[in-house]
Amino acid sequence: MRFTTVLTLILLVSGCTDDVEPVKNSYAFEMPANFPAPVYTFGNNPVSRAGAELGQMLFYDPVLSLDSSIACANCHQQAVAFSDPVHRFSRGVDDAVGFRNAPAIQNMAFQNNFFWDGGVKHLDFVPINAVTSKIEMAETLDQVVQKLKRSKFYPEKFRSAFQEDQITSQQMLYALSQFMNLMVSANSKYDQYVRKETDLTKEETEGLEIFEAHCRTCHATDLFTDDSFRNNGLDAGFEKDAGRERITEFSGDRGKFKVPSLRNVDLTSPYMHDGRFNTLQQVLDHYSNMVKDSETLDPLLKQGESLGIVLSAEEKVKLIAFLKTLSDETFTHDKRFANPFIK
Ligand code: HEC
Ligand code: HEC
């Protein structure tokens, strides 16, 4: 509560003077040294404090949905790295049931493909999908803009973020992107280890070694994804969800899904595009014992006749210990990303 009050004061003060810094973090885009270069088009839409704060309000405001019942934050909750801890399949307006698990939102500026099937290629377009989807917010961009124009506070917020008189849907998308671009998660124990600020335990170190040997090809770089689409053997048939093939209409993409980042993975259950696993143990049991063969199964998971990755019970314990070092409490507690309407 005390923190929120401090933040509120800062927000109020910053209305008159520009150079008051927030308690701890700045509003400049952060570029962690151990990350690959960002791909977001910052030239068109640089992060500003007014823009990111506007995006923060929009993200937490159910006004973006048809009946003002659902905000982005309903399905993307900060405490769990902006994933959905409750629903295997996400729930939208009127309790409509989606068909995929809501992924974490973090390090979006570094990502080329959005959604499990890469159906969206640019961060700015993601909210169009969320707002207009019948199973999410079921609203139109025009209606949202009309509602924002009628609001007591949004016109002023938009003016200070974009220095224009009229609220447009593009400004709304830009503000949401600025907010999401600011969401960089790079202060986990693992990052501190990479920066030589801390040591890993023996168990975690051995877990990291197992990870490097068996998982790193796909969960690559310190983003823990190679941004590709692969079939990791969850199913033998893909009638329920063809994954990447839905977008490319190429049968060679059947059953392939985006390799998800594993940052904050201890927090982001349930796992996989359909949220089928609740624990990391189940995920590892999948890789060791349950990988299913199909035309598009990734070659890395098929050595001759044998499927999957050989992992002993002890190795799984070590792997899980390592995966837990990817949790970043700085990120999940960062006031810049918290609900601005809760005072
Ligand atoms: C009803 C739940 C729901 C709501 C509301 C919702 N999302 Fe999502 N979000 C999802 C699901 C489910 C996916 C994955 C969709 C897919 O893969 O087909 C997703 C995907 C995303 C992604 C892509 C992440 C990635 O790594 O690919 C971003 C970014 C995102 N949402 C942002 C938003 C924003 C911004 C809003 C508000 C304008 C929003 N979401 C509202 C459920 C929701
Ligand atoms: C061949 C590439 C590949 C390899 C190797 C691989 N993964 Fe994955 N991983 C994926 C893909 C693709 C998904 C998403 C699949 C889906 O949802 O349909 C995934 C999903 C996951 C998830 C769920 C994350 C979430 O947010 O839902 C975890 C955890 C995970 N992998 C851990 C591991 C570990 C640990 C290893 C090594 C033992 C490993 N993976 C090896 C490709 C791979």
Side-chain angles (χ1 to χ4, degrees):
M1 275 300 113
R2 201 164 51 87
F3 257 116
T4 331
T5 320
V6 172
L7 187 72
T8 315
L9 281 174
I10 287 164
L11 293 181
L12 288 172
V13 173
S14 71
C16 346
T17 51
D18 280 347
D19 49 0
V20 181
E21 282 301 306
V23 187
K24 192 159 137 224
N25 295 297
S26 89
Y27 278 75
F29 175 69
E30 185 192 339
M31 179 56 227
N34 56 327
F35 280 23
V39 293
Y40 183 79
T41 46
F42 286 109
N44 300 333
N45 185 31
V47 178
S48 72
R49 176 169 186 162
E53 283 175 352
L54 171 59
Q56 180 186 13
M57 295 176 85
L58 294 167
F59 190 88
Y60 281 93
D61 197 336
V63 74
L64 267 60
S65 65
L66 178 65
D67 56 0
S68 290
S69 63
I70 303 272
C72 309
N74 281 54
C75 301
H76 299 286
Q77 300 181 16
Q78 181 177 21
V80 291
F82 297 96
S83 65
D84 183 340
V86 182
H87 304 107
R88 180 171 170 191
F89 299 112
S90 65
R91 292 294 173 86
V93 161
D94 266 343
D95 230 17
V97 183
F99 71 112
R100 288 189 180 146
N101 185 246
I105 304 180
Q106 51 188 346
N107 306 329
M108 287 291 120
F110 302 86
Q111 199 166 291
N112 279 301
N113 298 294
F114 302 89
F115 296 171
W116 285 102
D117 53 19
V120 173
K121 298 288 290 175
H122 196 289
L123 184 61
D124 294 350
F125 298 138
V126 169
I128 302 180
N129 218 294
V131 169
T132 62
S133 162
K134 290 276 174 277
I135 52 173
E136 294 189 6
M137 302 168 112
E139 187 50 293
T140 66
L141 289 182
D142 277 352
Q143 279 300 325
V144 175
V145 168
Q146 293 314 318
K147 287 191 271 185
L148 296 174
K149 283 180 177 166
R150 288 198 297 269
S151 132
K152 285 199 189 69
F153 50 89
Y154 277 116
E156 182 49 41
K157 297 279 173 197
F158 272 84
R159 234 187 326 274
S160 79
F162 298 104
Q163 289 85 44
E164 283 170 27
D165 284 337
Q166 281 296 325
I167 296 180
T168 65
S169 53
Q170 179 170 49
Q171 291 167 3
M172 179 178 90
L173 300 174
Y174 273 177
L176 281 165
S177 285
Q178 288 187 36
F179 174 60
M180 291 191 280
N181 280 327
L182 207 56
M183 290 184 187
V184 172
S185 174
N187 198 30
S188 63
K189 185 175 183 189
Y190 170 78
D191 294 292
Q192 291 167 14
Y193 159 76
V194 169
R195 296 196 299 259
K196 301 195 165 41
E197 294 163 9
T198 192
D199 290 324
L200 298 184
T201 64
K202 182 165 177 288
E203 195 177 47
E204 290 161 352
T205 309
E206 289 171 10
L208 172 57
E209 283 160 10
I210 300 164
F211 188 83
E212 297 288 354
H214 297 295
C215 319
R216 200 48 133 182
T217 315
C218 300
H219 297 287
T221 78
D222 277 358
L223 296 173
F224 293 88
T225 169
D226 66 352
D227 219 359
S228 74
F229 301 89
R230 300 182 185 242
N231 171 354
N232 69 343
L234 293 174
D235 295 298
F238 303 96
E239 300 75 24
K240 280 208 202 99
D241 193 342
R244 182 71 176 150
E245 186 193 24
R246 287 165 53 95
I247 306 302
T248 61
E249 298 184 359
F250 168 53
S251 63
D253 282 337
R254 188 166 303 158
K256 293 188 180 174
F257 292 86
K258 193 177 69 188
V259 177
S261 170
L262 298 183
R263 285 190 166 273
N264 291 303
V265 73
D266 188 38
L267 309 175
T268 62
S269 75
Y271 302 112
M272 305 298 171
H273 67 272
D274 58 1
R276 68 176 65 191
F277 300 133
N278 289 316
T279 64
L280 290 172
Q281 183 68 44
Q282 288 170 340
V283 169
L284 296 185
D285 291 345
H286 158 72
Y287 281 113
S288 69
N289 299 327
M290 286 151 55
V291 168
K292 310 236 178 19
D293 201 2
S294 64
E295 293 271 301
T296 57
L297 175 65
D298 200 279
L300 286 168
L301 296 170
K302 192 176 180 176
Q303 254 92 54
E305 288 300 292
S306 73
L307 298 176
I309 299 170
V310 181
L311 294 169
S312 68
E314 202 191 333
E315 286 176 317
K316 289 179 189 173
V317 171
K318 291 172 181 169
L319 258 178
I320 291 174
F322 165 67
L323 290 172
K324 289 186 174 179
T325 69
L326 300 176
S327 298
D328 176 359
E329 286 201 10
T330 314
F331 181 67
T332 54
H333 291 80
D334 193 324
K335 297 292 171 192
R336 295 172 305 168
F337 312 142
N339 188 338
F341 299 108
I342 297 175
K343 302 285 187 235

